[in-house]
Amino acid sequence: MISEWQNHKKQLRQYISKRLDDASAIDDILQDVYLKASSKRHQLKSTDSLLNWLYRISHNAIMDYYRQRKTYEALPDNLAAQQENKDSHARQELAQCLVPLIKELPEKYAIALQLSELEGMPQQAIAQQLGLSLSGAKSRVQRSRVKFREHLLRCCDFEVGQEGVNACVPKDARSPHKC
């Protein structure tokens, strides 16, 4: 193995040096390649494919080097709280925009939708507050959502992409529907 290694060592060094930006790591990787090749010699099918096999081991060693070297910035401890605050603020802004549209629905649907979607009230609590059965409250909330969606589609054209709604444009400012 040593004589074969000596025959290919120069080629492997050039191969590794072209792929690394750290000259001091070339010899370390070359040594790793030799150790892996020596310990896995039994996996080599024929000596005709030795050079290709050594190149594959070299390539894998280079990839391992870059994976280990990858640096990561420490994430702030309050990152999750920051994201929650942003999400909460966005929901509040959206809710302020939707309240006038929800109020245009018939009262029984507007109340159910506001309690469910804007106040986040569980449907069991909605049922108790409105004097409905649980299944009645669920149906009311579902019909409210359908009516609200129909109202929005009458008023606006939506552009939808992979992230959700990209744009909302009123269809006609002169429309009899408030949008």
Side-chain angles (χ1 to χ4, degrees):
M1 172 79 180
I2 293 177
S3 65
E4 294 167 352
W5 174 255
Q6 291 300 328
N7 293 338
H8 302 299
K9 185 177 177 181
K10 185 176 178 181
Q11 289 174 292
L12 292 173
R13 179 186 296 277
Q14 288 175 346
Y15 175 80
I16 294 168
S17 66
K18 288 180 183 178
R19 285 151 183 82
L20 289 183
D21 56 358
D22 183 5
S24 63
I26 295 170
D27 288 329
D28 292 339
I29 291 177
L30 195 60
Q31 182 179 7
D32 286 344
V33 170
Y34 177 73
L35 292 173
K36 287 177 186 176
S38 297
S39 66
K40 305 285 184 179
R41 175 85 173 153
H42 63 278
Q43 293 178 350
L44 183 62
K45 306 259 189 262
S46 73
T47 54
D48 295 339
S49 61
L50 175 67
L51 185 58
N52 291 335
W53 185 65
L54 289 173
Y55 274 117
R56 175 51 50 197
I57 293 172
S58 300
H59 172 79
N60 291 341
I62 293 167
M63 294 300 110
D64 290 343
Y65 167 80
Y66 279 116
R67 274 188 219 104
Q68 291 169 358
R69 188 174 151 216
K70 196 182 277 186
T71 58
Y72 298 96
E73 291 183 31
L75 295 175
D77 293 334
N78 63 350
L79 181 64
Q82 289 175 0
Q83 184 62 37
E84 287 175 12
N85 290 341
K86 286 180 185 178
D87 290 347
S88 175
H89 183 69
R91 278 190 212 105
Q92 289 172 355
E93 283 182 8
L94 180 61
Q96 290 173 0
C97 294
L98 296 178
V99 168
L101 296 172
I102 291 174
K103 287 185 178 180
E104 290 180 24
L105 295 173
E107 185 178 3
K108 69 179 187 178
Y109 297 119
I111 292 170
L113 192 61
Q114 186 161 354
L115 292 174
S116 174
E117 301 303 327
L118 300 182
E119 296 178 22
M121 188 179 285
Q123 291 184 353
Q124 181 65 49
I126 293 171
Q128 290 171 352
Q129 185 169 338
L130 299 178
L132 300 169
S133 66
L134 178 59
S135 63
K138 288 180 179 184
S139 295
R140 176 88 45 97
V141 169
Q142 288 302 317
R143 277 184 293 218
S144 300
R145 290 174 180 159
V146 169
K147 288 189 177 297
F148 185 70
R149 182 176 187 269
E150 289 170 353
H151 179 65
L152 282 177
L153 292 175
R154 274 194 309 270
C155 295
C156 303
D157 288 320
F158 293 92
E159 180 183 314
V160 180
Q162 289 180 342
E163 290 90 33
V165 176
N166 294 333
C168 174
V169 180
K171 287 185 177 180
D172 187 1
R174 296 166 284 147
S175 172
H177 304 287
K178 293 180 184 177
C179 296

